């Protein structure tokens, strides 16, 4: 069993890296793209690598001031919404992420965040939201309000507490 888990983890990480590379290559071929990472980035000459972000405050500022924040969920994530999506939205950033089945349970797609299911759709939506600044800003604000009202750490803690102790009398 251990070999299967290791193989699945390795393969999902490798596939995620390959997909991210392909999507970033396609995006940077059409749009000015900045990437914040401490990792070496080879083969993507159109991307402006800005280096590792050091603080949560700096990260929130980048999310807030970026016109579009791209998020690519790792293949290993089968359910749920990665924390980074919540972080981007809480900071007031517009997030464009690959579709996950759980997203419609928590957010209204096209009103609080945006999703894509293919490279072509990703490129089309980037173009659209770069041309429709007011709509993009409205979605970012609605997403921020939703996260602050319904998805704060305090609300999550209350939900966990109520779930754990729902059967205790």
């Amino acid at each position: 069993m251990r070999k299967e888990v290791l193989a699945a983890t390795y393969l999902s990480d490798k596939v995620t890296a390959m997909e991210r590379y392909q999507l970033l290559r396609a995006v940077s071929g059409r749009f000015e793209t900045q990437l914040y990472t401490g990792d070496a980035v080879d083969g993507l000459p159109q991307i402006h690598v800005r280096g590792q972000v050091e603080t949560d405050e700096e990260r929130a500022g980048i999310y807030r001031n970026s016109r579009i924040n791209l998020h690519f969920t790792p293949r290993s994530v089968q359910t749920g919404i990665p924390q980074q999506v919540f972080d981007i939205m809480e900071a007031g950033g517009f997030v464009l992420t690959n579709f996950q089945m759980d997203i419609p349970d928590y957010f209204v797609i096209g009103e609080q965040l945006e999703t894509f299911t293919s490279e072509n759709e990703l490129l089309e939506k980037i173009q659209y939201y770069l041309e429709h600044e007011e709509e993009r800003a409205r979605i970012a604000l609605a997403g921020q309000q939703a996260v602050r009202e319904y998805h704060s750490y305090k609300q999550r803690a209350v939900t966990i507490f109520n779930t754990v102790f729902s059967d205790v009398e």
Side-chain angles (χ1 to χ4, degrees):
M1 180 65 171
R2 184 177 225 173
K3 288 180 183 180
E4 291 84 5
V5 171
L6 290 173
T9 300
Y10 174 78
L11 288 174
S12 69
D13 288 351
K14 186 68 174 169
V15 169
T16 296
M18 292 169 59
E19 287 177 343
R20 285 181 178 174
Y21 178 87
Q22 176 58 35
L23 292 172
L24 286 172
R25 187 170 176 212
V27 169
S28 66
R30 289 189 46 190
F31 307 101
E32 182 177 340
T33 306
Q34 298 184 39
L35 181 64
Y36 293 85
T37 183
D39 297 335
V41 179
D42 298 322
L44 297 171
Q46 303 98 328
I47 287 189
H48 305 284
V49 178
R50 300 295 183 208
Q52 186 70 37
V53 177
E54 298 298 327
T55 67
D56 290 339
E57 293 78 20
E58 182 183 3
R59 185 174 293 105
I62 291 165
Y63 292 155
R64 182 175 35 262
N65 294 314
S66 297
R67 292 174 72 195
I68 298 174
N69 293 276
L70 299 178
H71 180 269
F72 307 120
T73 304
R75 281 293 187 136
S76 59
V77 176
Q78 298 295 311
T79 62
I81 303 170
Q83 182 62 44
Q84 187 178 27
V85 172
F86 290 94
D87 293 344
I88 293 167
M89 295 172 71
E90 198 281 328
F94 175 87
V95 64
L96 176 55
T97 186
N98 55 296
F99 180 81
Q100 290 286 103
M101 293 297 292
D102 294 312
I103 290 175
D105 294 338
Y106 297 92
F107 300 107
V108 180
I109 296 171
E111 291 182 23
Q112 298 170 326
L113 83 167
E114 190 56 83
T115 64
F116 66 92
T117 57
S118 67
E119 179 181 312
N120 188 50
E121 185 179 19
L122 170 64
L123 297 172
E124 288 174 1
K125 288 190 176 184
I126 291 171
Q127 184 70 47
Y128 177 84
Y129 285 109
L130 289 175
E131 294 172 354
H132 296 87
E133 190 71 21
E134 288 182 14
E135 184 175 356
R136 185 209 55 76
R138 188 171 45 253
I139 291 170
L141 180 60
Q144 182 183 45
Q145 291 169 340
V147 168
R148 288 183 174 176
E149 185 172 347
Y150 302 110
H151 305 293
S152 71
Y153 286 114
K154 182 179 178 181
Q155 280 105 0
R156 291 295 123 227
V158 168
T159 300
I160 291 168
F161 183 84
N162 289 339
T163 301
V164 169
F165 294 105
S166 65
D167 294 333
V168 177
E169 293 186 25

